[in-house]
Amino acid sequence: MKRFRTLIAISISLLATAVEGQPRLPSVDQTRAEFEAVCKRLTEGDNPFFGTAVVSELQAKLAAGSLDPATEISLRMTLGVELIRLGRLAEAIEVGSAPVLAASPESRSSRLLLLAVAHLQLAEEQNCVEMQGASSCILPVRPEAIHRRPEASRIAGDRYLEYLRGNPDDIHVRWLLNLTRMISGDFPGGVPEEFRLPADVFESGAEIPRWPDIAPRLGVNPFDLAGGAVMDDFDGDGLLDLVSTSWHPCQPMKAFRNDGAGGFEDVTESWGLDGQLGGLNLMHADYDNDGMLDLLVLRGAWLGRGGRIRNSLLRNDLKRPAGRFVDATAAAGIAYPAYPTQAAGWADYDGDGDLDLYIGNEASESSLMTYGATGPPYPSQLYRNDGDGTFTDVARAAGVTNRRYAKGVAWGDYDNDGDADLYVSNFGENRLYRNRGDGTFEDVAPAIGGTGPVEASFATWFFDWDNDGDLDLFVNDYGAPVRSVSAWFFGERPESGQPLLHRNDGDRFTTLSTTIGLDRPLLPMGANFGDLDNDGFPDVYLGTGVPDYDALMPNTVFRNRSGEAFEDVTFTGGFGHLQKGHGVAFGDFDNDGDQDIYNQLGGAYPFDGFGNALFENPGSENAWIVLRLQGTTANRSAIGGRIAVHTRSANGVQVIHSLVGSGGSFGSSSLQQEIGLGRAEAIDKVVIDWPGSGSRQVFQGPIAIDTFYRATEGDPELHELELPRIEPGGGVSATDPETQEREQR
């Protein structure tokens, strides 16, 4: 009866209208109760990711006895896998060690893999999770990252080696054997030569300083499953904060406020986010143009019909006394119909000065293990911002329902005609919807390129990779088998599965991959781009993985070589994290002029969580400029705007281009534009094309390099901002309270 009354209260809260005609918004407690009901449904039932019912059923069948050996073996093997899924590792090891399994030649290989995986997960739990450090789970394994409690990882290696004696061609298990011996401290001697990785496998000709993971030291590494990440200034104090989600339906969001003194404060509860449970992706935008950044949580992906869980549009009311984020989803008109999704994007597609929202939805049934979908795809939604805090779904009239299994969404004016075009990355052919300028779109991908990868695309974005003034497309391929990723490290070069760059050639896109250094199958999930070294060319961070129990592969980073090719800097830069990478956000959290990276880490199953990483940029000698844009006729954050910085150096004149936005479609970078200038010695001018309004402003000198500026639409001058420079872990090198107060206003 109590639960029934709670649901009634939630329904009344969502539908009632308060005084002055304003929709009544649910309280944190009401929101929590709503999502706790989802948590209960997914964890107590037979959900393949979180449900516990299957384990109970298997245990009951085994307890009943009177089973023939073949049936008992099958039940025990299935039970062992399910126990690993739930993180009940000691029980899984006990099941896998049962005499009936040990005595069965037929179950030998499966039993060895079961025990190896269980011990490997136990080793990670005892070492990487319980004692997470700056080098934990990062390749190549440094001495300080070798397990202090190596017993479980050593047993895992022994089981993998025993398996390989009978299955020597299993290249993925060869990879896992090498990894387990590295983390147990038994490499290379513990790996027979015929199974050993090449000696130079982690070497790279591309030099880059190592980026330390300082998340454990600063306490911004909550233990989560797969989710989203945002880095931006949510309280208006000039400092970038961190927010993340976990797709586990019972885990709340996490929020860390940058305290300006080198650390972060956990503000999850005070910001009203502790009642927001679950969420595979997270993004931000100022949808109501009030100068405060709002949040959008996306839910239900991978769950098919069971994933019809509403998203959350969280309005930022932090500037009010005792302010917090409030759940405005129902009041805004975007709560229902709810479809499973992890992909969305903000843009002012109709040029009216406020941000519209496209949500790319998935299918009614899905199977991640085959990287595909079955069942009819749900329609995607285009929510037109009505300017009064509400939205109207116009996807059907606009011609952008997609009706494919959407995995990524990106907006960008690829044809430079002044309005935002829409790219949808799908499992199946991708869409490039050209904005006709009259509220409708046409899919031009089949005619001008950009449809691939056609099997399984994932995170995607527009950026100007070669600084020629038009927008190119980056699309990640998620169709490679895990075996192909492992095989690459042993010298095999698969012909498919690599990320694709669709280069904008004006009238069509030319697809590039291996010819520009993208020569590896990677299985990227969360991914984004930024400028690692402030050379003015966007680099790429790819968080990798699949839900498989033993899918351990390094996250990968490619540095852009002046718009000519990419080079792999994963291992020299210290980015080769073995945990599954999801939300990736670039931003200058310490205000030193270069971009740092926040990576939300964790897998799909309850056993496979991990703490987030915060990679601190070690810096470079290159110049930079940071622009905080404020639209007046354009949307407040100028999302969709274009920036061209004209610089001079000893090498001549260079123009560096930037698209205003949060970057990739899985992870949300800071909306302040952190622009590297290479070896620039002076800035001649900054040109801003404001989105929607069609206005262009040219700001000319004196414009200083290595400086923060505010650019306001219609104001003829850039205004310098004296923001505090922070020493992570303690200390502020410069503060200006007056400037911070101005930023808050």
Side-chain angles (χ1 to χ4, degrees), residues 433-511:
Y433 288 114
R434 186 181 70 83
N435 191 333
R436 292 190 176 107
D438 60 359
T440 67
F441 296 76
E442 62 175 331
D443 182 8
V444 298
I448 69 170
T451 58
V454 297
E455 180 182 352
S457 297
F458 216 132
T460 185
W461 55 77
F462 284 100
F463 65 172
D464 188 354
W465 95 288
D466 49 6
N467 267 324
D468 65 352
D470 53 29
L471 295 179
D472 311 294
L473 264 170
F474 196 94
V475 191
N476 286 295
D477 190 327
Y478 199 66
V482 173
R483 181 199 178 282
S484 294
V485 180
S486 301
W488 188 90
F489 291 99
F490 289 94
E492 291 188 17
R493 294 295 181 263
E495 296 181 357
S496 62
Q498 296 87 353
L500 301 182
L501 177 79
H502 299 300
R503 187 186 64 208
N504 192 335
D505 290 332
D507 58 350
R508 67 173 294 103
F509 285 93
T510 300
T511 301

Side-chain angles (χ1 to χ4, degrees), residues 184-201:
S184 68
D186 300 313
F187 185 86
V191 181
E193 188 174 353
E194 65 268 26
F195 300 138
R196 195 178 302 158
L197 281 166
D200 60 350
V201 68

Side-chain angles (χ1 to χ4, degrees), residues 627-638 686 688-691 693 695-699 709-721 742-743 745:
L627 299 172
R628 288 198 165 199
L629 274 59
Q630 182 172 312
T632 52
T633 303
N635 69 85
R636 181 69 177 252
S637 300
V686 173
I688 299 178
D689 288 299
W690 297 93
S693 63
S695 64
R696 167 175 288 189
Q697 281 187 268
V698 180
F699 301 91
Y709 284 102
R710 165 77 69 190
T712 302
E713 185 180 13
D715 186 333
E717 296 184 5
L718 296 177
H719 297 275
E720 185 174 345
L721 301 174
R742 183 169 65 249
E743 282 287 294
R745 293 199 300 269

Side-chain angles (χ1 to χ4, degrees), residues 65-86:
S66 302
L67 300 171
D68 62 83
T71 301
E72 182 178 354
I73 288 170
S74 176
L75 290 175
R76 286 189 177 278
M77 289 300 304
T78 304
L79 176 60
V81 171
E82 294 296 331
L83 289 169
I84 292 175
R85 170 176 64 85
L86 296 175

